[in-house]
Structure formats: structure tokens, C-alpha cells
Amino acid sequence: MKNMKRLLLSALLLTLTAAPSLAGTAPGTGVVGSLHDMNTISGATDDPQARVCAFCHTPHHAMADPTGEQQPLWSHQYTSYISNWTPYASPTFQGGDNWIDPLMGPSRLCMSCHDGLVAVDQHYGMAGTKTGLGGDGWGGRDIGLADAGGNADFSNDHPIGFSYNDAQTNDIGQGLFAASGRQFLSNTNNAALTVEDVLLYGDIMTCATCHDVHNKDNANNTAAPGRNYFVYAPQDNSALCLTCHNKGNGVDEF
Ligand code: HEC
Ligand code: HEC
Ligand code: HEC
Ligand code: HEC
């Protein structure tokens, strides 16, 4: 099974190497002071040099992803979720026939903190002190129903790790969701950003297709300014969802 996935992965990489892995996005209000600044998280141990990027990246001695995928200079212990996962499934989901690896690319990086097992402040070989973000339920910030045996369950999460373009082409309703060239709706800080820009290799949905790990105020929400969730389009009128899913009035999708 694992070898099969590797084969699929290398075939995919061969066909997609021309596309950038994930385009960088314009800076917003940044990481410092955000929920992704581990120095501000209660129960977490501050970095001895007050660094911020260091909890996730390092200029040297970066750690290889256990599957061999290239990752951006990673300094944080990887999640043990490698191949034991239950993907999302439903009678109407069209992406199920092109699963690649639900955690491929940035998703595996997110899960190295959000799996509830690896300490969020672990970095640079130093042990962390804060493990678990309140569980996988309403009010918690763990994802994937952690299990100490390294099994992950994404069956109650929005699907990731599949080809957006294949799902869009095979869409039974044809037009139920947008071509990947569509810009995120109402995104004042990254107005020109398209879905394709944040698909891994221009094609694969990951956690980083909806979330920008680096910018706490990337999308400006008016209804609840404190709840930006690092998303690329505001929660107001569900602009994020309507960017991809054509469930609006067909003009501006609102
Ligand atoms: C909480 C973890 C985390 C922190 C803190 C963090 N990053 Fe990242 N970074 C990521 C993840 C995950 C990715 C891959 C996904 C993506 O690019 O959205 C990434 C990707 C990148 C990339 C490559 C892609 C791109 O967007 O250009 C650069 C460069 C980068 N980070 C720089 C930084 C710098 C500089 C800092 C400190 C100001 C920083 N990061 C802080 C998690 C983090
Ligand atoms: C970046 C594009 C994108 C964004 C943003 C997005 N989705 Fe999706 N979503 C998809 C794709 C692609 C699928 C797979 C569709 C398929 O194959 O049926 C999907 C699947 C789903 C499904 C499952 C469909 C099924 O048949 O089981 C639901 C429900 C859904 N999304 C709701 C949402 C909601 C609610 C939001 C906003 C919080 C959202 N999506 C944001 C692209 C997106
Ligand atoms: C289709 C878009 C989409 C994808 C893909 C996605 N998220 Fe989210 N996520 C959201 C939205 C929107 C929220 C804000 C809460 C809400 O509206 O329910 C959210 C909330 C969260 C939260 C806050 C806690 C919570 O449960 O509300 C965390 C943590 C999180 N996401 C992590 C992840 C990780 C890790 C992945 C990949 C495994 C991921 N997200 C994939 C859209 C997405
Ligand atoms: C270095 C550890 C680390 C990494 C890597 C990381 N996160 Fe987080 N994330 C956290 C912590 C800690 C919080 C705050 C939790 C708390 O205070 O309850 C958080 C909060 C969040 C929230 C909630 C934001 C809100 O407004 O409520 C979202 C969404 C989120 N992360 C998504 C992601 C995604 C997506 C990735 C990968 C692209 C990622 N995170 C990578 C540690 C991390």
C-alpha cells in the first residue's frame, strides 16, 4: 500500500514539477503575536533566543519528512501519522478516486502540532512542554482524532490530499465548484490570490489551501474580527467556501 502510494506520488511529481510547489503570499500582519507565535502560547516554553520562525523553520540542519517529500527547512518533530489514516468519504464526494496521501505537503507540517501528540513548542531538538490543543471537538484545536498508536481519522474533516483539478473535472453537477483559477473572494490583503496559487504543485488540496499559517489577519472579518482562523477569505457570508463551491447567486457567489 505504502509503495503504491509512493509510486503514485512520484508519477504525480514527474508530471507537475513545472508548477511551483506553493506560491508565497503577500505579507499581512504576520506571525509575531499571532496564535502561531509559540512564545505567546500559555503553557509553552519560550524560545531561548526569542525567535519566532524557529519553532517551525531552521536555516540549517532541517529535518527530512519521513515520506521523503521536500519541506520548507523544517525544525519541528514530524507527526507520526504517515500511512495509517482514514480519509473523508460520503456518497456525493467526487475526489475519493484520486486520493494521494491526505497529509501530503504542508498538511503533514500542520499535523506536527495539531495531531495532539507532538508538543507544539518542540523545536531545534529541544523538547517542548505543551502537548495537545484541547482535543478534536468544538472548542478544541486538535484535528484528525489523535490516537497514541499513530492512527489518524480525517473522516470528519473537510477533504484534503486529492487533486482539485480532477475533482473539478469529474464533478457530477458540472459547475458545482469553481475552476482553480478563481481568486479568493473579498480577500483585502491578498486580492489577487487564486486557489491555484495555494494548491500544492498547483493541484493538490492541503490544509494550506484554506489557511495561511503566517498571517493572523490575512482575511478581514467584520462580524468577528478576532476570529480570522488564518483563512484566505473572510468567514463573513462564508466567502471562503463560496470561492470554490458555487452555491451562491451565480454572480459574485453571495
Ligand atoms: C507555526 C509554524 C510556522 C511558523 C512559526 C512559521 N512558518 Fe513558515 N511555513 C510554515 C508552513 C506549514 C509552511 C508551508 C505551507 C505554506 O507555505 O503555507 C511554511 C512555508 C514557509 C516558506 C515557503 C513558502 C512561502 O510562503 O514562501 C517560507 C519562506 C517561510 N515559511 C518563512 C517563514 C518565516 C520567515 C517565518 C518567521 C517570521 C515563518 N515562516 C514562521 C510554518 C510556519
Ligand atoms: C479551495 C477550495 C475549497 C474551499 C475554500 C472549500 N472547499 Fe469544500 N471542497 C472542495 C473540493 C474540491 C471538494 C471535493 C468535492 C467533491 O469532489 O465532491 C470539497 C468538498 C466539500 C464537501 C463535501 C462534499 C461531499 O459531496 O461530500 C463539503 C460539504 C464542503 N466541501 C463544504 C465546504 C465549506 C462549508 C467550506 C467553507 C468552510 C468549503 N467547503 C471550502 C473545495 C473547497
Ligand atoms: C476547506 C477549507 C479548510 C481546509 C482544507 C482546512 N481547514 Fe481548518 N478551518 C477552516 C475554517 C473555515 C475554520 C474556521 C472554523 C469554522 O468555520 O468552523 C477552520 C478551523 C481550523 C482550526 C481551529 C479549530 C477548529 O476546529 O475550529 C484548526 C486548528 C484548523 N482549522 C486546522 C486545520 C488543519 C490542520 C487542516 C488540514 C488537516 C485544515 N484545517 C484544513 C477551513 C479549512
Ligand atoms: C509549531 C506548531 C504549529 C504548527 C506547525 C501549526 N500550528 Fe496551527 N496552531 C498552533 C497553536 C499552538 C495554536 C493556538 C492554539 C491555542 O492557543 O489553543 C494554533 C492555532 C491554529 C488555528 C486557530 C486559529 C484561530 O483563529 O482560532 C488554525 C486555524 C491553525 N492553527 C491552523 C494551522 C495550519 C493549517 C497549519 C499548517 C499549515 C498549522 N496550524 C501549523 C500550533 C501550530
Side-chain angles (χ1 to χ4, degrees), residues 83-152:
S83 56
N84 304 327
W85 43 268
T86 307
Y88 174 85
S90 94
T92 45
F93 172 55
Q94 297 299 294
D97 55 351
N98 55 45
W99 285 112
I100 296 155
D101 167 1
L103 291 190
M104 95 183 267
S107 306
R108 186 163 279 108
L109 305 179
C110 312
M111 292 305 292
S112 75
C113 285
H114 288 278
D115 72 350
L117 300 175
V118 182
V120 298
D121 47 344
Q122 188 288 327
H123 67 297
Y124 268 65
M126 292 178 272
T129 48
K130 182 168 174 71
T131 304
L133 297 173
D136 182 358
W138 306 121
R141 286 174 175 138
D142 292 321
I143 304 288
L145 294 170
D147 143 348
N151 303 298

Side-chain angles (χ1 to χ4, degrees), residues 35-36 38 41-42 55-56 74 76 106-107 109-114 119-122 130 133 141 207-208 211-213 226-230:
L35 286 175
H36 277 159
M38 298 305 130
I41 300 294
S42 145
F55 287 98
C56 293
W74 204 240
H76 190 99
S107 306
L109 305 179
C110 312
M111 292 305 292
S112 75
C113 285
H114 288 278
V120 298
D121 47 344
Q122 188 288 327
K130 182 168 174 71
L133 297 173
R141 286 174 175 138
C207 311
H211 295 285
D212 181 358
V213 75
R227 307 309 299 268
N228 286 304
Y229 292 107
F230 298 109

Side-chain angles (χ1 to χ4, degrees), residues 148-236:
N151 303 298
D153 186 345
F154 293 93
S155 59
N156 66 352
D157 295 294
H158 190 287
I160 49 165
F162 63 94
S163 160
Y164 182 98
N165 293 307
D166 284 2
Q168 207 264 344
T169 308
N170 299 335
D171 179 13
I172 32 171
Q174 291 301 333
L176 285 181
F177 49 97
S180 60
R182 179 180 283 172
Q183 291 176 351
F184 280 90
L185 301 173
S186 310
N187 183 345
T188 46
N189 287 325
N190 277 293
L193 191 74
T194 64
V195 171
E196 187 179 13
D197 291 335
V198 285
L199 290 168
L200 181 66
Y201 307 117
D203 191 45
I204 312 293
M205 278 278 299
T206 74
C207 311
T209 304
C210 291
H211 295 285
D212 181 358
V213 75
H214 299 111
N215 289 315
K216 64 175 179 290
D217 298 315
N218 194 343
N220 293 330
N221 293 333
T222 55
R227 307 309 299 268
N228 286 304
Y229 292 107
F230 298 109
V231 282
Y232 281 118
Q235 295 274 75
D236 305 57

